[in-house]
């Protein structure tokens, strides 16, 4: 279910800055809240992080919001090892 939801979010976002264009909406606030926590939570086995990392636009989306609205970039994360793990699922 999470995989299908992330795929739908990624498709809806596409290459846009926010889900409905150049201005954030309540959907952006909701999506960012869930994505950022799931992506950055320090847990031993974070399957959601692996699934999110498969969608480069969702990772960029979270980074953009952190930089733009919180003046703090997300921790630089090397996605290569995550994508290797994802391929094994």
């Amino acid at each position: 279910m999470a995989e299908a939801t992330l795929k739908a979010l990624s498709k809806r976002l596409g290459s846009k800055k926010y889900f409905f264009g150049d201005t954030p909406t309540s959907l952006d606030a909701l999506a960012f809240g869930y994505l950022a926590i799931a992506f950055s939570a320090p847990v031993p086995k974070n399957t959601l992080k692996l699934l999110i990392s498969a969608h480069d636009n969702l990772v960029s989306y979270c980074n953009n919001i952190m930089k733009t609205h919180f003046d703090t970039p997300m921790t630089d994360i090397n996605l290569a090892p995550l994508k290797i793990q994802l391929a094994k699922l």
Side-chain angles (χ1 to χ4, degrees):
M1 187 167 145
E3 200 167 356
T5 301
L6 291 169
K7 184 177 180 179
L9 283 172
S10 178
K11 183 177 178 181
R12 177 68 183 109
L13 180 62
S15 61
K16 296 184 299 295
K17 186 174 182 179
Y18 300 105
F19 282 100
F20 293 104
D22 292 330
T23 305
T25 65
S26 56
L27 175 59
D28 293 289
L30 180 68
F32 171 75
Y34 282 104
L35 291 170
I37 289 170
F39 193 74
S40 60
V43 295
K45 184 174 182 181
N46 192 339
T47 305
L48 281 176
K49 183 177 193 171
L50 293 174
L51 294 174
I52 294 167
S53 71
H55 302 280
D56 292 335
N57 65 335
L58 294 179
V59 175
S60 295
Y61 169 78
C62 288
N63 280 322
N64 174 57
I65 289 177
M66 286 298 293
K67 289 177 194 172
T68 303
H69 299 283
F70 299 98
D71 198 28
T72 304
M74 286 182 71
T75 305
D76 290 332
I77 298 170
N78 181 0
L79 295 178
L82 292 173
K83 290 187 179 191
I84 292 168
Q85 290 178 13
L86 182 63
K88 294 178 184 178
L89 293 179

